[in-house]
Amino acid sequence: MASLQSVIQGIYTELLSRLGSGKVADYIPELAKVNPRRFGIAVATVDGDVHAVGDAEESFSIQSISKVFALTLALGTHGDALWKRVGREPSGSAFNSIVQLEHESGIPRNPFINAGAIVVCDAILARHRPKEAIGEILRFVRALADDETVAIDPAVARSEQKTGFRNLALASYMRSFGNLHHPPELTLGVYFHQCAIAMSCRQLARAGLFLANGGCVPSTGFTVVSRERARRICALMLTCGHYDGSGDFAFRVGLPGKSGVGGGILAVAPNRASIAVWSPGLDKHGNSELGTLALQMLAERMGWSIFG
Ligand code: GLN
């Protein structure tokens, strides 16, 4: 079989003519400033190699990909009690939808739609000041990426704070059902900063590697979560990681994945690799258009689908 490096190089070259496809998110004004022609792929294998191509060393706003790390952290401190406050079902609606919350009494469908991620932040905030909670999330991501240079982009956090009225509505609505334990402004402060973490494909692929390796960081042997929990986080990524595009992502790529409106996707090939792609143009569900295609090609060419 062709080497992994030549496979990603081939995919990159084939997709160059389509750079700029999709639509860059502009509802967070700061995100609209990104160059739509950026494109990077990084693959970190459980054997310890990292293969990268294109703009894989450039930092971008990981946005909702951060929800995977926040969920991992919150499950560590709250355990399965977290599932009393947030469900585990695909939503079939947009990432920032409010409609289901009324029918389901303020319990969001899953931890990856905005409402669910806001509840997860609220859980992390317990017994902390917002700054400490943000620090805890950032330290966790830095440790996973084994890179102290991972940082929060303050301009993105501010931009979202100024314009995040839907998220404020979601948080306030959940507060009215008693499913938010802190004032919406405080919980959202944590949420916006978490979403504003900036990472490169290389850093992100390394940070996701524990999920591909049964919960354990291969290079250090450090157990981040149990094998069972890693499996369950991957199950949620597969069923809920792309919002109302999750079914199509599973159909096309066949791997657990989590997207962000910054144009990044983190995907997991169990027992093989963690993959990060970045292309800012999004499809109608808010998932990277070229990034999804690159992952589809990679999964096909490497035979990595979890469905065999
Ligand atoms: N910070 C973004 C928001 O709350 C995250 C959305 C996303 O990446 N899908 O709208």
Side-chain angles (χ1 to χ4, degrees):
M1 189 190 270
S3 78
L4 186 47
Q5 183 67 40
S6 65
V7 170
I8 60 172
Q9 186 64 53
I11 294 169
Y12 179 78
T13 312
E14 276 173 58
L15 293 181
L16 274 182
S17 62
R18 301 177 63 161
L19 286 193
S21 62
K23 190 180 171 300
V24 173
D26 56 7
Y27 75 99
I28 301 170
E30 197 62 27
L31 292 184
K33 295 183 180 166
V34 72
N35 179 346
R37 299 177 64 79
R38 288 283 180 259
F39 182 34
I41 306 174
V43 184
T45 68
V46 294
D47 314 324
D49 297 325
V50 182
H51 301 274
V53 70
D55 299 313
E57 317 293 340
E58 190 171 322
S59 288
F60 61 93
S61 192
I62 68 167
Q63 290 295 316
S64 286
I65 302 171
S66 65
K67 294 171 182 173
V68 175
F69 305 122
L71 173 67
T72 305
L73 198 58
L75 283 172
T77 47
H78 292 72
D80 286 339
L82 191 66
W83 301 123
K84 293 200 179 86
R85 297 178 62 189
V86 58
R88 303 189 293 256
E89 291 296 339
S91 66
S93 38
F95 62 84
N96 55 6
S97 167
I98 201 166
V99 287
Q100 274 165 353
L101 274 181
E102 174 151 30
H103 295 301
E104 296 173 0
S105 311
I107 311 285
R109 272 282 171 107
N110 67 65
F112 294 151
I113 50 172
N114 286 12
I118 291 167
V119 167
V120 169
C121 277
D122 195 63
I124 294 174
L125 191 49
R127 297 183 298 274
H128 284 300
R129 291 167 202 267
K131 270 203 170 133
E132 291 166 358
I134 295 164
E136 187 154 326
I137 298 169
L138 183 61
R139 272 194 300 281
F140 183 55
V141 174
R142 282 178 174 166
L144 291 175
D146 191 22
D147 194 330
E148 289 299 306
T149 67
V150 173
I152 291 171
D153 183 335
V156 172
R158 261 196 314 275
S159 182
E160 190 161 357
Q161 207 131 25
K162 263 198 218 145
T163 55
F165 300 112
R166 260 178 195 253
N167 286 323
L168 185 59
L170 292 169
S172 306
Y173 202 54
M174 291 191 290
R175 177 94 167 157
S176 78
F177 284 102
N179 198 20
L180 205 76
H181 300 169
H182 302 88
E185 299 74 26
L186 293 193
T187 305
L188 286 176
V190 179
Y191 173 77
F192 292 144
H193 281 81
Q194 165 200 306
C195 289
I197 293 174
M199 294 173 85
S200 67
C201 287
R202 178 184 293 271
Q203 291 168 331
L204 194 54
R206 292 193 64 181
L209 201 49
F210 74 100
L211 289 170
N213 192 49
C216 171
V217 179
S219 56
T220 59
F222 178 71
T223 299
V224 182
V225 291
S226 67
R227 179 172 290 277
E228 182 188 46
R229 185 163 285 162
R231 206 185 286 136
R232 288 178 158 178
I233 293 169
C234 285
L236 288 166
M237 289 169 76
L238 184 77
T239 53
C240 313
H242 283 70
Y243 316 110
D244 39 350
S246 298
D248 201 50
F249 186 84
F251 184 85
R252 289 175 56 195
V253 180
L255 294 174
K258 181 73 207 81
S259 67
V261 288
I265 303 175
L266 173 66
V268 179
N271 304 318
R272 297 179 192 277
S274 161
I275 309 142
V277 295
W278 174 46
S279 166
L282 307 177
D283 65 17
K284 65 173 191 295
H285 300 300
N287 304 315
S288 174
E289 200 164 286
L290 220 55
T292 305
L293 186 53
L295 285 170
Q296 178 178 352
M297 292 161 81
L298 181 64
E300 256 167 38
R301 291 177 193 188
M302 296 305 294
W304 278 353
S305 165
I306 61 166
F307 302 108

